[in-house]
Amino acid sequence: MSRLAILGGEPVRTKPWPEWPDGREEDVAAVAEVVRSGKWWSYVGEHTGEFEGEFAAYHEARHGVAVNSGTTALQVGLEALGVGPGDEVIVPAYTFQATATSVILAKAVPVFADVEAETMNIDLKSAASVITARTKAIVPVHLAGLPVDMGRLREMMAPRGIAILEDAAQAHGAVWRGRKVGALGEAGAFSFQASKNLCAGEGGAIVTNDDDIAARAAGLRDCGRVEGRPFYEHHLPGYNFRMTEMQSALLRSRMRHLEAETQERWENGRRLTEELSGLAGVAPLDPTPGDGDRRAYHLYPVQLRSEDLGGITRERFMEALRAEGIPCTAGYGRPLYRNPVFQNHSFGPKGCPISCRHYSGSVDYRSVSCPTAEKLCQEVVWLLHNLLLGRPEDIADIARAFEKVTAGCGELAGQAR
Ligand SMILES: *Cc1c(COP(=O)(O)O)cnc(C)c1O
């Protein structure tokens, strides 16, 4: 095995990776056209309405409601489901903060469930163990684009009247048993922030098959207005979470490539898992897909087993991998409940929604413990999705770099001491 690049050897790869986001000339033209037209606002242009229809259709949903971020999509989605003071909402502990803080923003109480070691998705046994009479909804996250088992989840939640809001911010185009994610529960929330697989810098959307949820979400997003009623007639204390026409035009332009890119990442992701299989110390968190499933890799997660890697730290392993020309990151450094907002119960001067006369339960986030989430936060390495937009040779480079670094780990661990 050749010398590790971090110790002065030749790197496996020096060629750059595809950029993300990768603005094309057609994207520039789409935005420029809106800017020139002066129709920057969704009330005067057609792009936002068209985008909502196109995005909902792609996700096999009746309705799409465009908003300004994934965070506001979650908040509006929860409020449109009727979540509010006194309610509990179950969320996984290994995810982006918005999955849980959106519950606080909707004036309800997030309750953490642990995740599964093989999928990093919400562990349904753990979720079942935290259900109470106050549980109003659950937010399963299709983490890293891997669809949650929506069949089992529905079976568990439907008889108890618990609504499902899918957090699909990392799962544009993901398919579960032949059906696109997003509207498999009551509603779903997507993000179009710059890193996401469909992006416009910022943006979000709610999708649903339910007419009432869609109407409530549209009103909350737009100053409490009701479709068909006068412009200055307001029915709720709504937000202004509207999307601009520039964003919508950009998203429509980029949507033309979403399906092909999702398929390309899927084929490359499965190829990488095959190429990494059998490598000691390195475990792709990429379970064998069920019939009719398609993961929409937003991240490609790999778990390191330090004991099989000469005791090397994750940080050192990543440095060695980067030196070989493979960019990577450690991802979420702690389970959500370990963030100061939860540890300090920093929910505002009166402590609502936890200290609230409508809330009959009690939570102390300092005593929450989700051991699998804790472990994943220590051991997982993420490769970002743009690495999967290459050719089979590029995937082979990733595999060769992992092989080289795992083989050189003993030397590296010794050298560090
Ligand atoms: C990105 C993300 C969000 C939030 O989306 P923003 O557009 O950044 O507000 C929510 N949940 C998950 C799982 C995410 O990855």
Side-chain angles (χ1 to χ4, degrees):
M1 188 50 88
S2 57
R3 195 161 172 75
L4 290 177
I6 198 171
L7 300 178
E10 280 293 309
V12 167
R13 182 182 171 102
T14 48
K15 220 175 106 190
W17 293 94
E19 299 274 347
W20 194 266
D22 59 340
R24 301 174 172 92
E25 278 312 309
E26 66 201 63
D27 299 328
V28 175
V31 177
E33 196 201 299
V34 175
V35 174
R36 287 202 190 92
S37 75
K39 296 178 179 173
W40 299 358
W41 188 38
S42 54
Y43 270 86
V44 295
E46 78 283 0
H47 289 293
T48 305
E50 293 289 327
F51 171 68
E52 290 178 327
E54 290 164 12
F55 188 74
Y58 181 65
H59 284 279
E60 298 162 13
R62 276 164 64 92
H63 303 281
V65 178
V67 291
N68 58 359
S69 75
T71 303
T72 55
L74 286 165
Q75 183 187 345
V76 164
L78 289 166
E79 292 186 30
L81 290 176
V83 168
D87 295 333
E88 290 176 349
V89 177
I90 300 172
V91 300
Y94 187 87
T95 174
F96 183 61
Q97 59 87 24
T99 311
T101 52
S102 61
V103 176
I104 302 271
L105 296 172
K107 305 180 189 71
V109 178
V111 175
F112 292 99
D114 207 349
V115 293
E116 299 174 325
E118 308 75 33
T119 66
M120 305 203 294
N121 279 339
I122 192 161
D123 179 335
L124 298 187
K125 279 204 246 26
S126 174
S129 75
V130 294
I131 292 176
T132 71
R134 296 173 295 273
T135 309
K136 176 88 176 182
I138 183 166
V139 186
V141 181
H142 305 298
L143 199 94
L146 183 71
V148 167
D149 185 343
M150 294 301 291
R152 272 180 63 216
L153 183 67
R154 254 212 172 296
E155 266 168 40
M156 196 179 278
M157 300 303 154
R160 296 177 167 97
I162 299 171
I164 299 172
L165 175 68
E166 292 169 66
D167 181 340
Q170 301 187 1
H172 317 71
V175 181
W176 179 79
R177 305 291 189 269
R179 294 167 65 199
K180 292 258 173 54
V181 303
L184 296 173
E186 273 62 36
F190 287 86
S191 163
F192 309 123
Q193 178 270 337
S195 73
K196 308 293 158 119
N197 294 19
L198 176 66
C199 69
E202 301 288 0
I206 297 125
V207 299
T208 182
N209 288 320
D210 184 303
D211 299 350
D212 296 332
I213 293 172
R216 278 200 295 276
L220 286 163
R221 170 269 314 261
D222 183 24
C223 312
R225 294 193 174 100
V226 170
E227 209 189 324
R229 298 299 305 165
F231 186 72
Y232 287 120
E233 183 179 294
H234 308 277
H235 295 252
L236 319 152
Y239 309 98
N240 174 0
F241 288 162
R242 292 184 305 258
M243 187 177 269
T244 69
E245 282 289 285
M246 283 75 88
Q247 286 167 291
S248 300
L250 182 53
L251 287 166
R252 290 184 76 195
S253 172
R254 300 196 59 85
M255 253 198 82
R256 289 203 285 268
H257 301 278
L258 177 60
E259 175 55 29
E261 286 170 348
T262 307
Q263 190 61 25
E264 192 176 331
R265 291 187 197 96
W266 164 242
E267 284 162 20
N268 280 332
R270 293 307 300 164
R271 184 173 287 128
L272 182 56
T273 298
E274 209 167 285
E275 294 194 17
L276 291 178
S277 75
L279 200 58
V282 161
L285 296 175
D286 193 30
T288 307
D291 251 359
D293 289 0
R294 178 178 72 178
R295 183 174 192 156
Y297 295 91
H298 172 61
L299 313 162
Y300 185 95
V302 176
Q303 187 171 17
L304 302 184
R305 304 235 157 88
S306 175
E307 62 276 19
D308 295 329
L309 297 170
I312 192 176
T313 65
R314 172 174 61 174
E315 223 23 78
R316 194 72 178 137
F317 189 96
M318 287 195 300
E319 279 166 17
L321 207 53
R322 289 186 197 116
E324 300 299 339
I326 312 298
C328 55
T329 128
Y332 308 128
R334 56 181 124 187
L336 272 194
Y337 53 82
R338 285 208 188 279
N339 278 282
V341 56
F342 292 108
Q343 291 294 301
N344 304 333
H345 285 221
S346 300
F347 310 133
K350 299 285 157 67
C352 282
I354 311 280
S355 313
C356 162
R357 69 183 180 83
H358 298 287
Y359 184 56
S360 59
S362 68
V363 285
D364 180 353
Y365 293 112
R366 281 161 300 200
S367 63
V368 175
S369 169
C370 295
T372 305
E374 301 269 351
K375 193 168 158 67
L376 292 172
C377 288
Q378 298 306 311
E379 298 181 354
V380 169
V381 171
W382 292 355
L383 308 178
L384 303 187
H385 63 90
N386 57 315
L387 269 59
L388 301 181
L389 286 174
R391 307 180 53 75
E393 305 87 85
D394 298 308
I395 301 308
D397 281 346
I398 303 174
R400 278 201 296 140
F402 268 98
E403 281 162 26
K404 191 174 164 192
V405 173
T406 46
C409 260
E411 187 186 356
L412 207 50
Q415 180 252 6
R417 259 181 242 125

